[in-house]
Amino acid sequence: MATLSAITSSLIFKIILLIVGFVLLIKGADFFVEGSSSVAKKLKVPPLIIGMTIVAMGTSLPEAAVSVSASMNDANSLAVSNVVGSNIFNLMMVLGICALFNKLKVGKDVLRRDYPFSIICALLMIFLGVFGFKEDGSYGMNWEMDRLAGIIYLVLFVCFITILIISAMKARKKAQETGVAAERSLADEMEDEVAEIPVWKSIIYIVLGAVAIKFGGDWVVDGAVAIAERIGVSDTIIGLTICAVGTSLPELVTSIVAARKNQLDMAIGNVVGSNVFNILFVLGIAATISPIPFAIENIIDICVLIAFSVLIYIFCITKKSINKVEGGIMVALYVIFMVYVCLRETGMFAIG
């Protein structure tokens, strides 16, 4: 009885640690972004650049903290599953629930550039996770996302940000020359979030935010791994479920509030941008720090992400929007995927 009580108490403590970690991650990211943006603005960095870099990356900071902490604490399976799970949750649940409130419109740039690129990034994740340089120096199936893959992701990330900034600047310049108001873009939304606060307060925000992100990431990984061990499941399922949902909560809450206010013109663009950042920025940093081993389950989950992405892209290109019926289908498919993941963990859908 004493042993059972001790195990129960330990599990409860780890759950509390996990929850506190999520709170620190979310609030820490907010503080860090607000402080960093304000300092950059005082240094005369154009608001457009701040919005498309610091503010935009802020939504991926929780995922980055968890994945980097996992890489540094020998829990690398969490790094991939957290990113893949977060991206699936963003696509199917965040957009699906929002579509149940109001029809989601999709912009031309998202359809022509951002969304196809997000699918390419997911496909690249499979290639870089399966193939790589082996210990003998040869190149082939290695089942590991190595440091070279991480560097490739980070280079692509910088290129993606650069293209977004150049595109936004061209659109704004064209609008000024023609005298016609340009359609509000993701860049405009990001720029609106850049606020200016006193320097001393900015420094405090940056320091507190960085500390909260660091400890929040460590506590989430520590709690998640401990819970997985206690209840006898893999780190992968914890990453796909608890960690993925927890790090995506800010997007979900923000989107639901916007949906109730009928302010969702940028919802699809925000989710697609966040998903690209998660793959290129989060996995790029994690793999550069420590190579991430891949398993067949990771490939299957990425294939599911690609299939869901293609389905939603079809929804978008048919009527340039996502309606309530399609939103309901997306939520239902996410629930089915979660059921499959749980049954796979029990061995009912054992692989290999």
Side-chain angles (χ1 to χ4, degrees), residues 278-293:
N278 284 346
I279 295 175
L280 300 184
F281 175 62
V282 176
L283 281 185
I285 292 177
T288 302
I289 292 174
S290 176
I292 304 172

Side-chain angles (χ1 to χ4, degrees), residues 107-121:
K108 293 180 181 178
D109 284 342
V110 174
L111 276 179
R112 291 182 302 186
R113 181 193 62 204
D114 302 342
Y115 207 119
F117 184 67
S118 72
I119 297 176
I120 291 173
C121 289

